[in-house]
């Protein structure tokens, strides 16, 4: 086939690095790529904008925008700028780097903290936020390298690769493309999956009816970053995610990814291991958080609810009801106390209860 030249009549362009297209774009989901391209255009136009404006333009939520920006910060493609008060004032597109084999030198930015427009107040807070950022960013699966024709020929002579290609063809119910085969090579060679583990990976993805290789690679990277290196651990881990973790994520309104990130997992494990709460109690806390903050629910907010229940020895729904009643009584008493001002006058008095309060007040004054 003859080569072709690509040209355009458009003169107003946004420049995108070839490194982004060749390396960064391949690992990101479509929504994150759209966000980066839009930010690149805004950067070229020198146009100030709000997170809400970005969300409206991309037809997504502000939380989706924040997650996307946080992803690109973790990929060392963006950074944030602050004013003297610690408020976020800008997003900076960084010079992109070609992937290297050593990924230990990662830049860590606590974007979740930055979005609140507050920096940590104490050294302890700073240490905790850095620990959370490190937990979320590391370890990281290596970027996928495309095999050379010579390497590909060698890989295709590997009996285990051949068997995995055949099994994947059966599970996916279509002939594999070269890109699909490269994914199998990446999982087997770069991620270091054994044949049994790679085989179970294909079984698991077929079981949940998600057989695109984009999804299969995401699961493989997640297992790699969780330190899963054998079939038994993968089966145990998958069973838990198919039940407990997935329910928590859905209850939190998170549907854009199939598993919690390490910081979120740390919270969930604390609720079960440290607090000793059952799945239903945790889901109740999530539901309450959603009802109270439907557009801005966070894991720390749910953690606050569960921590309060833990401190009040809550173990069952009956305990929650008793705590609710106690809180309601205290709130009612507080409102009643506010009804009497410094002169002993009850605003909008008229009910027998308020008259009784007035009588008690004056009797106390006489005493």
């Amino acid at each position: 086939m003859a080569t072709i030249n690509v040209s355009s009549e458009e003169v107003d362009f946004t420049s995108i690095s070839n490194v982004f297209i060749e390396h960064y774009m391949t690992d990101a989901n479509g929504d994150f790529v759209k966000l980066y391209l839009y930010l690149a255009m805004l950067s070229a136009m020198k146009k100030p904008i709000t997170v809400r404006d970005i969300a409206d333009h991309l037809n997504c939520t502000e939380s989706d925008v924040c997650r996307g920006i946080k992803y690109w910060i973790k990929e060392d493609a963006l950074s944030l700028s602050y004013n003297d008060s610690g408020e976020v004032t800008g997003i900076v597109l960084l010079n992109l780097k070609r992937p290297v084999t050593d990924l230990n030198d990662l830049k860590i930015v606590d974007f979740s903290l930055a979005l609140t427009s507050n920096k940590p107040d104490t050294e302890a807070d700073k240490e905790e936020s850095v620990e959370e950022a490190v937990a979320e960013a590391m370890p990281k699966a290596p970027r996928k390298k495309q095999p050379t024709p010579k390497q590909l020929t060698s890989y295709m002579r590997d009996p285990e690769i051949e068997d995995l290609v055949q099994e994947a063809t059966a599970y996916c119910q279509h002939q594999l493309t070269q890109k699909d085969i490269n994914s199998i090579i990446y999982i087997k060679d770069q991620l270091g999956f054994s044949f049994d583990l790679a085989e179970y990976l294909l079984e698991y993805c077929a079981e949940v009816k998600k057989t695109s290789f984009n999804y299969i690679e995401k699961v493989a990277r997640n297992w790699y970053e969780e330190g899963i290196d054998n079939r038994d651990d993968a089966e145990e881990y998958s069973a838990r995610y198919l039940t407990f973790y997935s329910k928590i994520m859905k209850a939190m309104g998170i549907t854009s990814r199939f598993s919690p990130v390490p910081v979120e997992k740390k919270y969930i494990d604390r609720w079960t291991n440290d607090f000793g709460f059952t799945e239903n109690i945790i889901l109740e806390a999530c539901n309450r958080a959603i009802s109270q903050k439907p557009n801005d629910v966070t894991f720390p907010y749910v953690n606050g609810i569960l921590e309060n229940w833990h401190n009040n020895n809550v173990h069952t729904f009956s305990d929650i009801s008793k705590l609710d009643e106690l809180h309601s009584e205290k709130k009612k008493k507080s409102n009643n106390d506010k009804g009497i001002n410094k002169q002993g006058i009850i605003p909008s008095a008229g009910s027998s209860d308020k008259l009784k309060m007035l009588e008690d007040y004056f009797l106390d004054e006489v005493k």
Side-chain angles (χ1 to χ4, degrees), residues 113-175:
L113 180 64
L115 288 180
T116 65
S117 298
N118 290 312
K119 290 186 176 179
D121 294 326
T122 67
E123 289 299 319
D125 289 336
K126 291 179 182 178
E127 291 176 2
E128 182 177 359
S129 65
V130 170
E131 288 175 359
E132 291 180 349
V134 171
E136 185 168 354
M138 299 294 288
K140 189 171 179 63
R143 290 185 182 277
K144 181 168 65 176
K145 297 179 181 178
Q146 298 300 327
T148 65
K150 183 177 180 180
Q151 289 173 329
L152 186 61
T153 300
S154 176
Y155 284 129
M156 295 310 298
R157 291 173 180 166
D158 184 336
E160 291 189 348
I161 295 290
E162 289 181 355
D163 289 345
L164 288 173
V165 169
Q166 292 179 3
E167 290 191 31
T169 301
Y171 282 124
C172 299
Q173 298 182 350
H174 64 77
Q175 196 66 31

Side-chain angles (χ1 to χ4, degrees), residues 111-346:
F111 185 67
S112 61
L113 180 64
L115 288 180
T116 65
S117 298
N118 290 312
K119 290 186 176 179
D121 294 326
T122 67
E123 289 299 319
D125 289 336
K126 291 179 182 178
E127 291 176 2
E128 182 177 359
S129 65
V130 170
E131 288 175 359
E132 291 180 349
V134 171
E136 185 168 354
M138 299 294 288
K140 189 171 179 63
R143 290 185 182 277
K144 181 168 65 176
K145 297 179 181 178
Q146 298 300 327
T148 65
K150 183 177 180 180
Q151 289 173 329
L152 186 61
T153 300
S154 176
Y155 284 129
M156 295 310 298
R157 291 173 180 166
D158 184 336
E160 291 189 348
I161 295 290
E162 289 181 355
D163 289 345
L164 288 173
V165 169
Q166 292 179 3
E167 290 191 31
T169 301
Y171 282 124
C172 299
Q173 298 182 350
H174 64 77
Q175 196 66 31
L176 301 191
T177 65
Q178 186 59 56
K179 183 178 179 182
D180 297 337
I181 294 174
N182 289 347
S183 292
I184 293 177
I185 293 172
Y186 166 69
I187 292 167
K188 185 76 169 57
D189 182 57
Q190 290 180 252
L191 297 186
F193 277 32
S194 66
F195 177 80
D196 285 345
L197 183 58
E199 186 179 48
Y200 175 69
L201 171 68
L202 296 173
E203 292 176 12
Y204 165 77
C205 292
E207 182 182 353
V208 298
K209 295 180 172 56
K210 292 187 177 182
T211 54
S212 75
F213 269 87
N214 283 336
Y215 182 85
I216 292 171
E217 273 194 32
K218 285 182 180 180
V219 176
R221 288 193 186 97
N222 184 54
W223 288 2
Y224 176 93
E225 292 170 359
E226 290 291 334
I228 294 172
D229 59 5
N230 61 78
R231 182 178 183 125
D232 290 341
D233 289 347
E235 289 179 347
E236 181 182 351
Y237 184 81
S238 300
R240 191 174 187 189
Y241 267 85
L242 284 172
T243 54
F244 179 64
Y245 281 122
S246 60
K247 289 181 181 179
I248 300 299
M249 298 293 285
K250 288 181 180 178
M252 292 286 288
I254 300 173
T255 58
S256 60
R257 41 193 171 82
F258 64 91
S259 63
V261 297
V263 171
E264 294 168 343
K265 182 176 180 293
K266 183 179 178 181
Y267 275 116
I268 296 175
D269 290 343
R270 183 189 185 199
W271 301 338
T272 55
N273 300 333
D274 297 345
F275 293 168
F277 287 131
T278 63
E279 175 184 306
N280 290 334
I281 296 294
I282 295 173
L283 290 174
E284 174 65 17
C286 293
N287 292 334
R288 293 191 177 208
I290 289 288
S291 65
Q292 293 168 13
K293 302 184 71 174
N295 298 319
D296 193 30
V297 66
T298 62
F299 274 82
Y301 188 81
V302 175
N303 185 72
I305 295 175
L306 290 169
E307 190 168 34
N308 178 57
W309 289 354
H310 175 68
N311 293 337
N312 284 277
N313 296 317
V314 168
H315 300 288
T316 65
F317 278 95
S318 176
D319 294 336
I320 295 175
S321 297
K322 292 176 182 177
L323 192 62
D324 288 343
E325 291 174 3
L326 182 61
H327 177 73
S328 180
E329 290 174 1
K330 288 182 178 179
K331 186 175 181 180
K332 182 177 179 181
K333 184 179 183 304
S334 176
N335 291 336
N336 288 340
D337 290 343
K338 292 177 182 178
I340 301 178
N341 60 24
K342 292 181 180 180
Q343 288 75 36
I345 304 299
I346 306 175

Side-chain angles (χ1 to χ4, degrees), residues 36 39 69 72-82 88-95 107-109 111 114:
Y36 183 89
L39 292 176
I69 294 174
W72 288 120
I73 288 175
K74 286 166 53 181
E75 293 297 310
D76 209 18
L78 302 179
S79 69
L80 301 178
S81 58
Y82 303 87
V88 177
T89 58
I91 299 171
V92 181
L93 275 67
L94 303 176
N95 291 328
K107 181 176 181 180
I108 298 170
V109 179
F111 185 67

Side-chain angles (χ1 to χ4, degrees), residues 29-87:
N29 69 37
D31 290 335
F32 292 170
V33 172
K34 287 195 301 182
L35 172 64
Y36 183 89
L37 295 178
Y38 188 55
L39 292 176
M41 185 200 73
L42 295 173
S43 174
M45 296 173 62
K46 307 295 183 183
K47 180 180 178 181
I49 200 168
T50 66
V51 172
R52 178 176 296 177
D53 293 335
I54 297 174
D56 290 342
H57 182 80
L58 298 179
N59 194 26
C60 62
T61 67
E62 293 180 38
S63 296
D64 292 333
V65 173
C66 292
R67 280 194 292 270
I69 294 174
K70 186 176 180 181
Y71 171 82
W72 288 120
I73 288 175
K74 286 166 53 181
E75 293 297 310
D76 209 18
L78 302 179
S79 69
L80 301 178
S81 58
Y82 303 87
N83 60 18
D84 293 338
S85 301
E87 298 173 330

